[in-house]
Amino acid sequence: KAVEINALWHNFARTMTYLHHEVYGNLTIYAGYEIAIQQGFEKFWNEKGQYLNDVIRLDGTTDDAVRPNQLFAASLPYPVISRERAQSVLKVVEAELLTPMGLRTLSPSHPDYKGFYGLGKAWANQYDRDITYHQGTVWPWLLGAWVNARVYAYGQSAENFALIANQLKPLLKHFEESGCIGSISEIFDGE
């Protein structure tokens, strides 16, 4: 059970409830699903680390790797965690995953972390690229989820927007000056 899939499922159920209400004026059809999803989502909370576990395995054990997928619990239109928990998640994500170009796919403190895409080889083969793609490579597109989670957790204050704008400056510079001007690279090295 992946944390992001469950956050998406929660948003689907909430969206269906909204649509059903708009069409039929009835809110009860999906309410039971929403409550069950919300209660089930509690199992992702890592009390010790104050963030969301990445996966709940079939045997009930959890993968406590710090990954950006947990941001979807706070960044979608219907957040599945409280603002307080979103703030806690952001503290961990910002400390371990946030870089000037996006978010790492795995925390550098994890034993499986790979800081260089393709293991840093100038001509990495497919295997070397594949084993590093989800193990620390930075993905810029995840900044959208980060921004939405920040706004949910800390509000639409001038201070929060200034922090967000400052974080995006290096990526905007890349957009204007590097590679194919007017576009953003798909990935960056975790280091």
Side-chain angles (χ1 to χ4, degrees):
K1 299 169 189 154
V3 68
E4 72 277 14
I5 300 300
N6 280 269
L8 287 163
W9 177 242
H10 170 76
N11 271 260
F12 172 76
R14 291 287 308 269
T15 300
M16 292 304 293
T17 298
Y18 170 79
L19 293 174
H20 197 269
H21 174 68
E22 290 299 306
V23 173
Y24 302 108
N26 181 343
L27 287 174
T28 60
I29 191 165
Y30 295 101
Y33 289 120
E34 289 178 35
I35 293 167
I37 293 167
Q38 184 73 45
Q39 289 173 343
F41 201 84
E42 285 296 312
K43 296 174 184 173
F44 283 98
W45 185 247
N46 184 317
E47 187 63 36
K48 182 179 175 188
Q50 295 293 293
Y51 63 92
L52 293 165
N53 290 314
D54 190 48
V55 171
I56 300 173
R57 298 181 191 98
L58 290 175
D59 65 2
T61 61
T62 57
D63 178 352
D64 63 356
V66 176
R67 294 189 182 270
N69 306 346
Q70 63 187 304
L71 288 175
F72 291 103
S75 67
L76 294 169
Y78 298 104
V80 69
I81 58 174
S82 68
R83 281 187 166 81
E84 294 76 23
R85 281 194 174 174
Q87 289 172 1
S88 183
V89 162
L90 282 164
K91 285 178 188 172
V92 173
V93 166
E94 290 171 356
E96 298 190 36
L97 304 177
L98 188 62
T99 75
M101 295 301 180
L103 285 109
R104 291 180 183 103
T105 52
L106 182 64
S107 170
S109 64
H110 195 280
D112 294 333
Y113 173 76
K114 307 284 187 267
F116 297 97
Y117 180 65
L119 301 175
K121 297 177 181 176
W123 299 101
N125 61 37
Q126 189 66 47
Y127 175 78
D128 291 335
R129 292 192 309 264
D130 287 350
I131 65 168
T132 57
Y133 196 64
H134 295 274
Q135 300 302 95
T137 298
V138 170
W139 294 357
W141 75 269
L142 289 167
L143 284 169
W146 173 76
V147 168
N148 287 349
R150 276 222 53 100
V151 171
Y152 169 66
Y154 294 106
Q156 297 183 23
S157 69
E159 180 183 346
N160 194 27
F161 284 137
L163 185 147
I164 291 166
N166 191 53
Q167 179 64 38
L168 297 177
K169 283 180 183 177
L171 192 60
L172 290 173
K173 184 176 180 182
H174 168 79
F175 179 78
E176 295 169 348
E177 299 175 4
S178 300
C180 184
I181 295 178
S183 66
I184 296 173
S185 298
E186 175 191 1
I187 57 172
F188 294 91
D189 287 333
E191 296 300 315

